[in-house]
Amino acid sequence: MSEPRDDSADEGDGEPTEPNAQLAALVQALAGGDPIDWQRAESEAGSEQEREQVRALAAISTVATFHRTWLALGGITGDLDEEEALDEEVPTHWGELEILERVGRGSFGDVYKAREPRLDRIVALKLIRASAKTPEREAETLREGRLLAKVRHPNVATVHGAAGADGRVGFWMEFLEGKNLAEILAEQGCFEPRAAAEVGIALCRALAAVHAQGIIHRDVKAQNVVRENDGRIVLTDFGVGRDATPEPGDEPSLSGTPLYLAPELFEGKPPSPATDLYALGVLLFYLATGEFPVTGSSFEELRAAHRDRKRRWLKELRKDLPGTFVAAVERALDRDPEKRVVGGVVGLERELGKFLGERLGRRRRIQKSSAAIAAGLVIAGGIFAFVERDQIATWVNLKYADRFHDSSQFQLAVSELEEAKRRSPELPDIYWRLMSCRSADGNYVGALEASREGVPLCQESRSWNCHMVRAWSALLRLDYNQALRSFTEAEKIGPDDEIRRQIILAQVNLGHPELAVQDAEALANAEEIGAASLFASTLSAADHYPKAMKALDALRERFPESELLHWVAGTVMIAAGDAMGAEKEFKAMVTQPDDPGDASNGRLLWAQALMFQSKFDEAKRVLLDSASMDTREKFDRNQAIRSILLAECYVRTGNPREASHVLSSIFDQEQIPTNLKLFRNAALVGLEAGDISLVERLATVVSLLEKEYSTDLSQSFDFELRGELASRMGDSEKAVELLELARSVRDDPQNALSMARVQIGRDRCDDALAYLDLVVSRRGLIVNDFYTPWTILNEAKELQKQCSTRK
């Protein structure tokens, strides 16, 4: 950044005139990132020359406004032709995005408020200005987008995509509703230490995520941190960010906002995580005092101040600040980066958490009612009350995890839970959440790992959290009876909508949808869609389709933008016979970028809907497109389901050999309990492909799992597969015996279809039709089962036609 020239000093000798003082103040404010009223500054200028200088400073300002959610657009380097920029028309579209208005501008680019039509959501779009377009700037913009896209964290602005379209390069990201910290400070004054510490903890977590991806932010400051209207703290602006590992030949560069730069940067040292930590310390200093530890109106003055160790201290400016808070901030501002990085941002977060814990404990001592304290720390129905100072950070992680779980952003929730586990590995609270989020995201290997770690912590405990650990562990084994018992015990201690939701789902999986409907109706008006949607889903499972569609319409009115609504709507529609409508809903899930699990699940459901319509070639393309995502994101369950569906498509298109090859890939997956159902379904498709040896291998796995876990489901599947194999070997009597045993343990639609096949083979169509009618009558249950291929309904109808022809 070059120092602005004060031309008014050439007009004569003596003291500086008022306009000169004004310009010096503007430079100081701009260097520190303070908010500036540029219109007023221009109107107060004493001459046209001074007004031009004010406009020049305004042109490089990156002060955020109320809805600013873009990354920094320069403002430190580069030139801006002000008149050309202002005259440039606002485009109406860019690619598929509909541009609504321009909300920010910088040296080389503009930021627009835009709408993404497919998802009907508002985004912030950054585009290089046509007049400033160069290959280097285009590459830099895409680089900036890629930097942010590498980081997925609740306290870091989320980039949705980066591309080139209509002759311009840009990227789009979430549109944040709130104000930046500089604006809040200007409106409300200095932050109280507790509020500043809460901001600091959020930014420590953000920087930890950034640094974990090998990125250095390099411009942490008040203007680049937004507090959303719901209180969420978000780090933005990677405009000068760089990979932590420089490319060969890179020269150290002094980029960033001057008053936030670490001392070593002025000495020519390269940026590092320690320089980001220093900038965070400056920000906390600024929030608490409204001033900066080291000041100067130019780079040279700042360099000299750092060299001569001229700085101010927190206690000098605010004697009321608690010692723990002061110590944490001053450590981050240590001149020696080696001392500063002891513990890094994690260490600073721990110290700030310690301070918050002390404040919490002090409040506890003076509160008259312990119930009031508990209420102040209650999360998700009153479960957690961490008052130990070392656990405050864990409390924050769990709070964020619940928030992300409720919005179906399971990978973000898992990230928070992993951090909580690192701090407090002995808490059962963490492990049932990990089981829930990992299994919802398709990572059953990870879910099982959480089960193995969590269950031993609860051997003697009858606490609410331990009931939840046991319940989720049972769900992983598909032991719905045990899960129902454990969830019911938890509900007696601390009822909430999520527990009721799991009880309802267990009832559906046990084949009692009518019972589930009664309980689900009480949740129809729940505030969270996961609970509210159960009424429509259970009505569909119980084959009450007109009522289910009516309940679905009510959900559309209440949750028009919910991603989960696509899943619920699709299953209700396809069960009601609207396969094309369901296909449209599931296809919409694939376009959801907020959580990769939604796109993965959406592809499987979309393929199911296509297969239901006998569009097997289209289904194959959808499934093959999902392969790389499932492997990369470790969606273990989804990889196995995809293999089964793909094999079914190959069988239906006359390629049984390829079907066997695809099914064999399931053995490459870890044999986890939940794969019990997947191995059973794979074996049934293998029978369609005529690969008896493969089916025998799959059946052996089911038998081994049955001996280890011995649930109703495992026993039923074991009998069923042995019965199917006996039928293929020509022993129909033994087949009927084994299939009857399977039905006596669990009344399952797939088992009924197996029995119908055997009866048709015995030329007993009357008996077969009774079983086939049972399959068709359970279509609601079949469609609500994520594991089972819906084509069994088609097969049942085909067999019904065969029997009718024979008769």
Side-chain angles (χ1 to χ4, degrees), residues 39 121 261 319 381 433 569 579 601 614 635 680 692:
Q39 185 175 2
R121 68 176 176 189
L261 296 179
K319 299 185 182 301
R433 282 175 166 78
N601 292 334
S614 298
F635 297 140
R680 186 279 300 256
I692 300 300

Side-chain angles (χ1 to χ4, degrees), residues 151-166:
V151 183
R152 292 184 63 85
H153 193 274
N155 299 117
V156 179
T158 300
V159 165
H160 299 312
D166 303 328

Side-chain angles (χ1 to χ4, degrees), residues 746-767:
R746 179 181 171 84
D747 186 8
D748 180 84
Q750 180 68 69
N751 178 268
L753 181 61
S754 297
M755 183 66 83
R757 288 199 202 98
V758 174
Q759 298 294 3
I760 290 173
R762 301 171 73 193
D763 201 23
R764 296 184 179 181
C765 267
D766 287 339
D767 292 336

